[in-house]
Amino acid sequence: LSYTFTNTKDASGAQLLERPMDQVKLDITHHYSDSLNVNTSVRWVNRLKTYGSNGHMPDYTVVAVALNKSLSNQLNLGFRIDNLLNEQYQTSNNYNGRGRYAEASLRYTF
């Protein structure tokens, strides 16, 4: 669990734009075996000042889940879903955050 408070100001003392003041992140990893683990991540962002939209964007929460399976000492399989709950949010005025998406990976190390 981590909390970040960012208090950035310009020369006149106003909060800098596009920098959230509050962020909380929770990461939980469960190891089902030596070769299989699942990670769940929850990130909450609040007090993001931006142009327009009365100055501040609404807070938002994004959840991600990742599964990693070691197939051998050199071969790993991964699957991840970001924005699992398909949260509709904006990271700045009129710039939407990414909707739910998934990715798979196969990694070989030598």
Side-chain angles (χ1 to χ4, degrees):
L1 176 66
S2 66
Y3 170 74
T4 303
F5 173 76
T6 306
N7 189 12
T8 56
K9 298 190 182 213
D10 64 15
S12 69
Q15 179 186 347
L16 292 177
L17 301 177
E18 314 302 336
R19 293 161 182 85
M21 289 186 76
D22 301 299
Q23 290 189 77
V24 176
K25 186 171 183 183
L26 173 66
D27 278 311
I28 299 172
T29 301
H30 184 77
H31 297 273
Y32 287 96
S33 68
D34 288 340
S35 65
L36 177 66
N37 69 64
V38 175
N39 176 268
T40 303
S41 171
V42 179
R43 184 171 53 99
W44 174 72
V45 175
N46 188 34
R47 294 195 289 177
L48 176 65
K49 188 171 183 178
T50 188
Y51 296 101
S53 185
N54 78 11
H56 284 87
M57 302 303 300
D59 68 315
Y60 62 88
T61 303
V62 178
V63 178
V65 176
L67 177 137
N68 293 292
K69 172 74 174 157
S70 178
L71 302 175
S72 72
N73 286 339
Q74 296 173 304
L75 190 60
N76 290 297
L77 177 66
F79 183 72
R80 179 178 180 86
I81 301 174
D82 278 335
N83 198 0
L84 180 68
L85 305 176
N86 204 27
E87 174 84 6
Q88 303 298 310
Y89 65 98
Q90 292 186 344
T91 56
S92 64
N93 195 38
N94 294 320
Y95 186 79
N96 293 331
R98 189 186 308 200
R100 181 186 307 123
Y101 70 99
E103 61 184 42
S105 64
L106 185 61
R107 183 180 62 189
Y108 181 80
T109 56
F110 52 96

